[in-house]
Amino acid sequence: MTRAPATRPLDRDDPLDDFSSREIELDGVAKKVYLMGHGPAVIVMTEMPGISPQVARFARWVRDAGFTVYMPSLFGRDGAVPQAEEGAAVFKRACVSAEFRAFASNASSPVTQWLRALARLAHAECGGPGVGAIGMCFTGNFALSMMLERAVLAPVVCQPSLPLDDAAGTNVAADELAAVRERLEREDLTVMAYRFDGDRFCKAERFAAFSQALGDRFVARVLPDSAANPDTPPFFAQVVASPHSVVTAHLIDEAGQPTIAARDEILAFFARRLLG
């Protein structure tokens, strides 16, 4: 296995050949998980429509910051450039999947139970004080639900898009949100959250709902639409059709850009919580 830099071509399918992969069965459910790096674990959950070259680039940045990346394959074709037609088909399948409950305003997605088990396993394998987790888009609020697992110490919520039919919905059960808030306060923890101002899938109402539920433990960052990369893969240009993916498809990889500042803040957050 070779060590690749974070800056591979983004306009070609990524073979992900610098990752190792394992079929991990937890709670009777098996999923493929890509791994790389050393140090405390960070679970990187892909955005829709799958593990794109941009998502893999972010995972490599996490590796380079001193962590072991666990990146589960949750939907889509691993490593593929997000094309419009293929991505839309993945999106439609996920919308009706019982794993995700894409239209459930106040119920948690069942897949979060498997992800909590993955966090326990990753902590046992990698050690350290705990585990970080970042969710994006369809998986955005999963990092919050994962706080019900004590190993998770550094949750990051990027452009949480579920539920799709309620801008103020959280996709987290009310009792779970209350339990998360109690833990955040008891252990002096925070949740970092990111979205673009004009995101049509993650609107201001959702962040307001999380702020109401979690108080000042929910640390929100709202980037201006002008900070979004206009040069995106077809799925984002044609299907998403708004600024959306803060640290992946809409990130501008140049010094001084707000999206790079967001990336650096996330990596520093992981380091503060997991590296001491």
Side-chain angles (χ1 to χ4, degrees):
M1 185 175 67
T2 59
R3 181 181 176 88
T7 53
R8 284 188 169 192
L10 300 177
D11 57 353
R12 299 199 299 268
D13 289 358
D14 190 324
L16 305 176
D17 53 351
D18 52 333
F19 292 82
S20 61
S21 66
R22 288 162 50 192
E23 196 81 9
I24 297 179
E25 182 173 340
L26 300 164
D27 299 333
V29 177
K31 294 185 183 294
K32 187 175 187 177
V33 179
Y34 293 90
L35 302 101
M36 64 160 38
H38 301 281
V42 172
I43 297 172
V44 176
M45 292 169 280
T46 185
E47 65 189 355
M48 187 61 59
I51 299 173
S52 66
Q54 289 85 354
V55 171
R57 176 181 63 177
F58 179 81
R60 293 180 180 110
W61 281 329
V62 174
R63 171 204 64 189
D64 291 346
F67 302 99
T68 303
V69 171
Y70 285 67
M71 184 169 62
S73 177
L74 299 174
F75 38 72
R77 184 162 57 91
D78 299 340
V81 172
Q83 302 296 339
E85 185 174 349
E86 181 183 15
V90 172
F91 177 75
K92 290 176 181 177
R93 286 196 296 271
C95 284
V96 299
S97 168
E99 273 197 310
F100 298 107
R101 290 185 182 171
F103 296 96
S105 294
N106 297 303
S108 301
S109 296
V111 71
T112 59
Q113 298 178 25
W114 188 90
L115 290 165
R116 291 199 292 268
L118 180 63
R120 286 193 297 275
L121 175 68
H123 187 214
E125 291 181 344
C126 297
V131 172
I134 178 168
M136 315 172 191
C137 180
F138 233 68
T139 66
N141 41 30
F142 293 178
L144 186 56
S145 295
M146 289 172 68
M147 287 297 290
L148 296 174
E149 163 54 47
R150 62 184 298 177
V152 179
L153 297 180
V156 178
V157 176
C158 277
Q159 68 271 357
S161 301
L162 302 184
L164 295 171
D165 59 346
D166 180 2
T170 63
N171 198 234
V172 182
D175 60 335
E176 291 189 3
L177 266 179
V180 169
R181 178 166 184 160
E182 191 277 332
R183 185 186 174 206
L184 292 170
E185 293 177 346
R186 182 179 71 251
E187 300 182 27
D188 192 23
L189 300 174
T190 53
V191 178
M192 298 301 299
Y194 300 82
R195 60 177 290 271
F196 283 107
D197 187 43
D199 189 339
R200 67 191 189 99
F201 290 94
C202 178
K203 298 181 179 180
E205 292 93 328
R206 180 152 300 138
F207 270 28
F210 279 129
S211 293
Q212 182 175 10
L214 302 175
D216 59 7
R217 300 289 170 174
F218 183 78
V219 180
R221 304 286 192 243
V222 180
L223 281 66
D225 292 350
S226 60
N229 191 343
D231 183 17
T232 58
F235 176 80
F236 292 92
Q238 299 174 34
V239 179
V240 177
S242 75
H244 180 65
S245 300
V246 174
V247 295
T248 54
H250 287 102
L251 176 140
I252 300 176
D253 190 9
E254 297 173 2
Q257 290 291 335
T259 49
I260 285 293
R263 180 205 66 181
D264 291 346
E265 184 177 50
I266 290 167
L267 297 177
F269 176 63
F270 288 149
R272 187 166 66 252
R273 290 297 185 192
L274 305 177
L275 298 178

